[in-house]
Amino acid sequence: MKWSSPVRQLGLAVVAFLLVAACGSSPGTSASCNAKTATSATDCGGMSGLVTAAKAEGTLNVIALPPDWANYGAVIAGFTAKYGIPVNSINPNGSSQDEVNAFDGTSNAPDVVDVGQAVALANTAKFAPYKVATWNDIPAGAKEATGLWFNDYGGYMGIGYDSTKVPGGVINSVADLLGSGFKSKVALSGDPTKSNQGLNGVIMAGVANGGSLDDVSKGVAFFKQLKQAGNYVPVVGTAATVKAGQTPVLFEWDYLSTSHGKDVSSWKIFVPSNAIIGGYYSQAINKAAPHPAAARLWEEYLYSDAGQNLWLKGGARPVRMAAMVTAGTIDTAAAAALPAVNGTPQVPTGDQTSKASAYVVANWSAAVS
Amino acid sequence: MTAAGSPALDTAARPTGGGRRLSLSWLGVVPFFAYVGVFLLLPTAIIVIGSLTASGGGVSLANFAGINKPYMVKAFTLSLSVSGVSALAGAFFGAVFAYAVVTGNPNGLLRRSIMSASGVLAQFGGVALAFAFIATISTVGFVTVFLKDHGIDIYPNGVWLYDAPGITLIYVYFQIPLMVLVFLPALDGIRPQWREATESLGGSTWHYWHYVAGPLLAPAFLGCTLLLFANAFSAYATISALLTNGGTYVPLQVQALLTSETEQSQPGLAQALALAMILIVVIVMTLYALLQRRTTRWLR
């Protein structure tokens, strides 16, 4: 956060410089394409028209994209290398809510956002509808029908663990965690009464123990058993607690959990085959984007095979993954590096998440304290 | 932490001279009252108004009805019991410690160093205290690891550090020095002559404590215990830093209600909880003030 101000200043300077440069060199290029209202590349005269318009705008504002999160550093570099459009990355460590809060109508506002599902659903009035060329590859449940938001990448709720600290060096089922070898070791990566990630950890434990997305009570009961066995640690797992060894077994999104490997070389991730709970982030375009064409070109790039494979290299599962596997365009090496998952993924709907949340809030404290 | 009212302060400010016209000396306290207004009265007013406002607007007691849920009641029970036990333990050990100090040389090095140390340790709370305990006796703390290497497992049934016994232990760490600080003036007020008088009249040590020192110190002891209780009850940062996940204590419930990203954000209920905490502290501090008045009748 403390960097955001200097970054903004620098960003403004860059934007100002480029605006001057753009105006000087190519006046009136965007006349052929009204990018602000374009709902697909066709509205801008196809990809070439969109590229021309985006280059005329000269820059792209993005927000809250840490370079080591889902490989965004390489994605941004790839976009600039391909189209010659510099990317102004604001407040890389912001939250989903920070992203939408930055829609201030200035030339410095983010053109595009990458937000969690709850924030996407709550802010559709601020987004512009757009369908990328590969729109049909995105599963129906993973996008808003007109393109106000569409899932980009995600992963599954997994159990990350330090294999040197668990009995036998491997976890084969969620029920294993109740064993005496897991004394004071199991943690969540968020408070389930208020954090989406923590809540999905409980949902996953519930599904693995005979519950369903509609019935999270089994998950709460499981953590109650964990607590009674003395295995549950009421500490939110982070990179720091994993490194210190406070949370050697941690419920976490698999694509975030992989990053602990650089601190703990024996870190492994287990995704139970009977409870593959998916969670996705979404892309959306700012309705008042200062660079509407660049924003749309960015989306085209993200949903191209190249963009999707870059996310995959970062350990995140791109939303077009199934289609790309079928088409044979997936980066097979990166796909093979993902935690092994056998079974059918389930993604909780907004309603299911709300119901689970209400149940957890009412029953969590009785279960774990 | 709440500052302890010291009997010594009562004699400090005596009016000098009198009958002057239009004194401007009140100007000196304007910054103080402005500060109290902005940082104490205004937030309290916001909490009172917020807790009485229904989610759709309008005056309502619905937020207080929200407290009547099993998990909220449990949060209050746990907060009150941890505060109570840590206050009693802190008061007992602190009083014994203070008595040991007071029987020594009043200007000695021991007393001066213990007073300074207590002054520092009584304020040693919050994140730093939580971290100190995590680094020493959490599952990966160096004391835990050292003992484990020598065959002693302090967590045979799971980490109690994060449960009520652990929180109580951590609170006692700042309660004892606070008790030393606030109880010492009362002990200083006990004159050696009273003991001599008891003895010259044929009284035993038991008689002295039962009929003279005990009744004199009881109001001070109870008052200090209440102060310790309020101190623990309103503590937030320590448990927040220690129990990052799902702590069943009232301040942490307030935190959860304000920051939820899973549609459970209820600012009105959070403010109702905060108001309930304020009421409890007000009751406790009123009792403390009454006891303090009784204490000062004898011990000056």
Side-chain angles (χ1 to χ4, degrees):
Chain A
M1 288 296 262
K2 65 182 171 185
W3 293 108
S4 65
S5 182
V7 168
R8 252 164 215 253
Q9 301 300 330
L10 185 63
L12 267 178
V14 170
V15 171
F17 172 76
L18 287 165
L19 275 177
V20 170
C23 290
S25 59
S26 52
T29 39
S30 59
S32 62
C33 158
N34 188 359
K36 258 193 159 33
T37 55
T39 54
S40 73
T42 326
D43 292 350
C44 261
M47 274 302 280
S48 61
L50 186 61
V51 171
T52 313
K55 280 186 174 164
E57 289 171 0
T59 192
L60 172 75
N61 293 346
V62 299
I63 187 168
L65 303 181
D68 56 352
W69 176 290
N71 209 18
Y72 257 117
V75 174
I76 291 171
F79 177 76
T80 305
K82 183 158 183 187
Y83 298 110
I85 299 172
V87 175
N88 173 25
S89 180
I90 314 161
N91 188 15
N93 292 319
S95 75
S96 288
Q97 191 60 44
D98 290 340
E99 297 186 38
V100 178
N101 292 347
F103 284 9
D104 56 4
T106 68
S107 65
N108 203 32
D111 292 305
V112 285
V113 290
D114 180 358
V115 291
Q117 196 71 2
V119 176
L121 288 170
N123 292 286
T124 46
K126 295 174 183 168
F127 301 146
Y130 187 76
K131 293 181 181 176
V132 291
T134 49
W135 178 256
N136 291 333
D137 285 355
I138 306 174
K143 58 193 175 190
E144 196 277 331
T146 62
L148 286 171
W149 55 262
F150 28 102
N151 286 167
D152 45 13
Y153 57 85
Y156 303 125
M157 187 45 67
I159 301 171
Y161 60 100
D162 181 345
S163 55
T164 60
K165 299 242 177 89
V166 304
V170 66
I171 293 176
N172 290 316
S173 79
V174 176
D176 283 0
L177 306 186
L178 294 170
S180 59
F182 288 86
K183 197 76 69 190
S184 307
K185 283 180 183 160
V186 186
L188 283 163
S189 44
D191 179 344
T193 63
K194 62 177 189 184
S195 141
N196 194 42
Q197 186 170 204
L199 179 62
N200 275 284
V202 180
I203 291 174
M204 185 261 256
V207 173
N209 283 284
S212 70
L213 295 183
D214 291 306
D215 173 21
V216 75
S217 64
K218 298 257 178 19
V220 175
F222 175 78
F223 276 90
K224 183 175 188 171
Q225 281 177 282
L226 263 189
K227 169 72 184 173
Q228 282 166 350
N231 295 359
Y232 175 67
V233 186
V235 170
V236 165
T238 61
T241 63
V242 167
K243 199 172 179 178
Q246 255 188 303
T247 56
V249 179
L250 182 59
F251 283 73
E252 195 174 22
W253 293 122
D254 59 356
Y255 58 95
L256 299 178
S257 201
T258 48
S259 67
H260 300 317
K262 64 177 186 286
D263 294 325
V264 179
S265 57
S266 47
W267 193 256
K268 290 184 181 170
I269 298 166
F270 164 67
V271 178
S273 55
N274 60 344
I276 306 172
I277 306 301
Y280 281 81
Y281 279 85
S282 296
Q283 286 292 322
I285 297 174
N286 182 356
K287 196 156 93 179
H291 312 103
R296 284 154 178 80
L297 182 62
W298 169 253
E299 298 302 344
E300 295 292 353
Y301 179 70
L302 293 180
Y303 288 82
S304 69
D305 290 347
Q308 299 273 301
N309 276 328
L310 281 174
W311 273 332
L312 184 60
K313 275 190 193 144
R317 295 166 203 272
V319 71
R320 289 182 53 227
M321 190 161 172
M324 287 169 67
V325 168
T326 313
T329 50
I330 201 84
D331 180 336
T332 46
L338 292 176
V341 172
N342 305 301
T344 316
Q346 310 179 59
V347 181
T349 64
D351 277 353
Q352 286 169 326
T353 306
S354 301
K355 266 200 296 180
S357 172
Y359 182 87
V360 168
V361 165
N363 295 283
W364 184 249
S365 64
V368 299
S369 63
Chain B
M1 261 177 229
T2 326
S6 159
L9 290 174
D10 295 344
T11 55
R14 290 267 163 75
T16 53
R20 299 239 174 83
R21 277 166 289 145
L22 202 64
S23 163
L24 287 177
S25 55
W26 56 271
L27 273 177
V29 293
V30 166
F32 171 74
F33 283 110
Y35 184 85
V36 169
V38 171
F39 292 105
L40 188 67
L41 301 181
L42 182 65
T44 310
I46 291 173
I47 285 172
V48 171
I49 293 167
S51 61
L52 291 171
T53 308
S55 52
V59 178
S60 150
L61 287 174
N63 288 323
F64 292 93
I67 299 180
N68 188 22
K69 287 180 196 141
Y71 67 97
M72 288 292 175
V73 173
K74 184 169 180 181
F76 273 97
T77 317
L78 204 57
S79 276
L80 290 171
S81 60
V82 165
S83 310
V85 173
S86 75
L88 287 176
F92 175 75
F93 291 109
V96 169
F97 200 45
Y99 183 71
V101 170
V102 91
T103 51
N105 178 358
N107 298 312
L109 180 66
L110 178 74
R111 176 169 173 145
R112 277 185 286 137
S113 49
I114 283 180
M115 288 304 281
S116 325
S118 296
V120 172
L121 292 176
Q123 304 298 327
F124 184 55
V127 180
L129 181 63
F131 180 74
F133 274 84
I134 289 171
T136 46
I137 60 167
S138 78
T139 46
V140 290
F142 70 89
V143 172
T144 314
V145 172
F146 178 82
L147 290 175
K148 207 168 205 168
D149 290 345
H150 292 78
I152 303 167
D153 184 4
I154 62 169
Y155 294 125
N157 300 308
V159 256
W160 48 260
L161 180 65
Y162 302 111
D163 293 333
I167 306 292
T168 309
L169 176 73
I170 294 173
Y171 279 12
V172 165
Y173 194 81
F174 60 71
Q175 297 280 49
I176 291 177
L178 181 63
M179 184 66 179
V180 171
L181 286 183
V182 296
F183 195 55
L184 209 60
L187 285 172
D188 275 338
I190 298 283
R191 313 238 166 93
Q193 292 90 323
W194 296 344
R195 174 148 210 167
E196 288 158 11
T198 314
E199 280 169 8
S200 66
L201 290 169
S204 64
T205 300
W206 190 84
H207 285 127
Y208 169 69
W209 282 107
H210 189 235
Y211 294 112
V212 182
L216 281 174
L217 289 173
F221 182 80
L222 284 177
C224 293
T225 310
L226 287 176
L227 183 72
L228 262 55
F229 175 87
N231 186 34
F233 187 70
S234 54
Y236 162 71
T238 312
I239 39 176
S240 175
L242 188 75
L243 298 170
T244 44
N245 198 346
T248 313
Y249 294 86
V250 184
L252 298 183
Q253 295 289 342
V254 174
Q255 177 199 42
L257 285 167
L258 290 175
T259 60
S260 173
E261 65 174 19
T262 53
E263 304 169 36
Q264 301 298 328
S265 177
Q266 292 168 272
L269 180 54
Q271 284 165 322
L273 286 181
L275 187 61
M277 287 187 73
I278 291 174
L279 288 178
I280 290 173
V281 170
V282 164
I283 292 169
V284 168
M285 293 315 290
T286 308
L287 289 173
Y288 169 72
L290 291 175
L291 284 164
Q292 197 67 26
R293 191 184 297 170
R294 184 168 169 85
T295 309
T296 50
R297 191 191 298 169
W298 277 98
L299 306 171
R300 287 180 194 276

